[in-house]
């Protein structure tokens, strides 16, 4: 094998907030999960399995949040997901009929969806019996994937107070759930939103973690100034290795203007038949309330910046995905060659993305990834795929430096999660955090009911801390739901706190709360001491 | 310069968007500081009714009405610098443009009477701020490869020494938001 001139470290982060509403026949927000399974997680699994079966040598790091893993294992969600897929298949069949008589230029797209839905249903149910965590775990066992995890409910750690105990709770519960749900220990940690605050490294290393992923500015602004900017990890004095996400490659994919997913040939995300076709036709496939929603069937390509859209051409889009994969590979090869000459050692370029970008928004994303990994194996010319843990085994000991606090949000700091749309939450989260520490320290280990109460209080606190709620309030999308979820968990937490203070436990209230959010079954409130 | 949060609210009552059934206070005096970015700090506080009653008893209604609510931000270093911000008025959440270059601060909130006596009510824990620029100090055994810094800066269209507020970061975020803003998944990318 050619000696490595540099490394490409692909990191995909899969996360969704915990959503579970058995009280409703259908919930808008549960669709986040079903869309992500059908459009992202299954296509990615399909891609990785195909590459592995064909003997392509690749390595990808894949982060799973504990909330997502809990939902993937949940029988209610499995049943509802199957119902969702079956309904997509039924809609696609209906569409095959309709477009055979009219809009025949849309037939290739309809056929593509029909085939995809059926194939991914088989992959989900027949091949993996609905157990996606184990499916990805097998790829990890074979050395293709490196699985890592994140904070239990994806809390935005820099803003949680009191910080040490809140971070410890998020980390310990996240790691325990990951271990329980995947059967393996995580060495790496995806910091939610790449959010870092001084002192967090001690908590992560105390939990047995080796590395985390930060945004490049956290490395570029580290102290002392790192020798290799963001192209080699640094190590904190506490022993946590920090990799920096590459901005250059990131822009090629993420830029709203020139990013690959904006190519005119790619499938347009926004034109969905849930909005385009008469409600009496698509009504049963949107929502039981009759409100319009995306169905997942989208027949147009991006075409251009106007509302004029032309029919999607799957074969042409596939060619573009291949071309973009080659362009990305070529750009990274040039990048690492240039860097290696100056660095005197192989650089590591970390390409980190949300897993849900691939397939859900960018339909051709998994195909792009497949081409990239194939070409990297066959035509890498010294550029090798690597995972963070493998890199740590092969590379020299990183330079010791203290990362700068930051995040991957706009501006690079905390503004996305702390602004006038959402700042009210921190007063309450901070108070709840103080109360949780107080309760944990006073907790009576002899009394099982009080122990359950304390564990449920910690569960409610964790759920209220999810970074998604502050984010959604900030964007205005699903803001009301985000406010409600924050409020509901804080109200439940405060109720339990008052019961604890009064020395009583209402069994019915406690059971109700436990049943409403049945996750983190091994949670131990002592983590908050 | 200081900015009152849009969540300006009377001491009693909920902010816009804040569920009204969450506690107005938690029975304790609290000052929480959090960095928004290297130059701006968010401060939120709550003062228990018992503390307000105590202040009324100690100072009397007249004197208390002449007091101003003051947020003091102390540099946690040798400089001893202190920034004083008048936070009188209905809001209990404030955004403060920092005057200090210190990267470590702590705060206290209290009442300042017309004679200049300060009655502290709550003190924050220490807050660390991010640095704005790449560190000028380096380890002689790890001499920085400046071209690598310049490459990052070029790729996001900024001068290396102002990389920190890089347009690239904003562009990345805009790219994500543009896509994710209308998508049905909340996603994790920001």
């Amino acid at each position: 094998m050619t000696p490595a001139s540099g490394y490409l470290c692909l990191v995909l982060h899969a996360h969704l907030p915990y959503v579970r509403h058995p009280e409703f026949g259908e919930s808008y927000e549960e669709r986040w999960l079903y869309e992500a399974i059908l459009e992202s997680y299954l296509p990615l699994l399909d891609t990785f399995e195909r590459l592995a079966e064909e003997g392509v040598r690749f390595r990808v790091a894949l982060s799973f949040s504990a909330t997502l893993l809990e939902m993937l294992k949940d029988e209610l969600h499995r049943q509802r997901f199957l119902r969702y897929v079956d309904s997509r298949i039924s809609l696609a069949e209906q569409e095959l009929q309709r477009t055979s008589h009219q809009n025949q230029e849309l037939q290739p797209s309809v056929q593509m969806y029909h085939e995809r839905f059926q194939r991914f249903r088989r992959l989900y149910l027949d091949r993996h019996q609905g157990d996606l965590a184990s499916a990805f775990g097998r790829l990890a066992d074979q050395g293709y994937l490196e699985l890592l995890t994140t904070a239990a409910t994806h809390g935005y750690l820099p803003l949680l107070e009191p910080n040490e105990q809140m971070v410890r709770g998020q980390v310990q519960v996240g790691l325990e759930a990951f271990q329980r749900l995947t059967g393996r220990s995580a060495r790496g940690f995806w910091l939610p939103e790449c959010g870092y605050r001084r002192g967090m490294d001690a908590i992560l290393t105390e939990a047995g973690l080796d590395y985390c992923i930060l945004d490049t500015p956290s490395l570029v602004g580290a102290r002392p100034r790192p020798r290799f900017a963001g192209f080699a990890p640094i190590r904190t004095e506490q022993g946590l290795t920090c990799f920096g996400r590459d901005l250059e490659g990131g822009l090629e994919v993420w830029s709203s203007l020139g990013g690959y997913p904006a190519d005119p040939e790619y499938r347009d995300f926004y034109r969905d038949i849930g909005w385009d076709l008469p409600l009496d036709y698509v009504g049963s496939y949107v929502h039981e309330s009759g409100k319009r929603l995306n169905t997942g069937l989208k027949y147009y390509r991006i075409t251009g910046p106007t509302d004029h859209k032309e029919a999607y051409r799957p074969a042409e889009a596939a060619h573009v995905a291949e071309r973009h994969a080659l362009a990305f590979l070529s750009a990274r090869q040039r990048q690492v060659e240039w860097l290696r000459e100056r660095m005197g050692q192989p650089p590591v370029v970390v390409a980190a993305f949300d897993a849900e970008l691939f397939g859900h928004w960018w339909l051709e994303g998994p195909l792009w990834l497949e081409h990239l990994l194939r070409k990297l194996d066959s035509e890498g010319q010294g550029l090798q795929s690597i995972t963070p843990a493998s890199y740590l085994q092969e590379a020299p000991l990183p330079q010791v430096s203290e990362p700068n606090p930051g995040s991957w949000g706009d501006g690079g700091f905390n503004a996305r999660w702390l602004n006038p749309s959402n700042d009210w939450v921190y007063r309450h989260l901070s108070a709840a955090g103080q109360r949780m520490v107080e309760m944990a320290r006073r907790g009576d280990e002899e009394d099982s009911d009080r122990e359950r109460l304390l564990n449920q209080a910690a569960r409610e606190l964790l759920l209220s801390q999810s970074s998604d709620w502050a984010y959604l309030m900030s964007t205005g999308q699903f803001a009301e739901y985000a406010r409600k979820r924050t409020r509901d968990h804080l109200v439940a937490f405060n109720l339990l706190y008052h019961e604890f203070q009064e020395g009583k436990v209402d069994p019915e209230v406690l059971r109700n709360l436990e049943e409403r959010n049945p996750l983190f079954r091994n949670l131990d409130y002592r983590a908050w001491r | 310069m200081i900015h009152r949060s849009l969540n300006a609210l009377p001491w009693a009552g909920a902010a816009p968007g804040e569920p009204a059934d969450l506690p107005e206070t938690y029975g304790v005096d609290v000052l929480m500081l959090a960095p928004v970015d290297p130059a701006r700090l968010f401060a939120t506080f709550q003062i228990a009714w018992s503390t307000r009653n105590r202040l009324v008893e100690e100072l009397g209604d007249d004197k208390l009405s002449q007091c101003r609510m003051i947020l003091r931000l102390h540099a946690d270093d040798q400089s001893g610098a202190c920034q004083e911000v008048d936070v009188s008025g209905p809001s209990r959440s404030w955004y403060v443009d920092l005057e200090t270059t210190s990267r470590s601060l702590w705060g206290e909130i209290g009442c300042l009477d017309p004679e200049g006596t300060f009655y502290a009510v709550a003190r924050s824990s220490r807050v660390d701020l991010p640095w704005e620029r790449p560190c000028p100090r380096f380890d002689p055994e790890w001499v920085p490869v400046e071209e690598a810094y310049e490459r990052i800066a070029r790729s996001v269209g900024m001068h290396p020494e102002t990389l920190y507020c890089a347009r690239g970061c904003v562009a990345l975020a805009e790219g994500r938001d543009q896509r994710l803003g209308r998508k049905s998944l909340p996603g994790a990318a920001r």
Side-chain angles (χ1 to χ4, degrees), chain A residues 201-219:
Chain A
D201 56 334
I203 300 167
L204 297 180
T205 51
E206 168 195 285
L209 290 158
D210 293 333
Y211 71 86
C212 68
I213 314 290
L214 301 177
D215 207 1
T216 286
S218 286
L219 267 70

Side-chain angles (χ1 to χ4, degrees), chain A residues 100-150:
Chain A
S100 66
H101 304 301
Q102 48 181 306
N103 304 113
Q104 288 184 354
E105 75 280 11
L106 305 179
Q107 275 267 310
S109 295
V110 184
Q111 282 164 353
M112 176 195 73
Y113 286 116
H114 188 244
E115 186 275 327
R116 280 171 68 93
F117 294 156
Q118 290 184 314
R119 182 155 54 92
F120 292 138
R121 188 189 195 281
R122 287 195 299 273
L123 182 67
Y124 181 79
L125 198 60
D126 301 343
R127 184 170 169 120
H128 295 298
Q129 292 77 50
D131 187 356
L132 292 188
S134 297
F136 283 107
R138 277 189 286 278
L139 286 161
D141 291 339
Q142 294 162 24
Y144 295 109
L145 300 182
E146 177 176 310
L147 300 187
L148 53 154
T149 191
T150 182

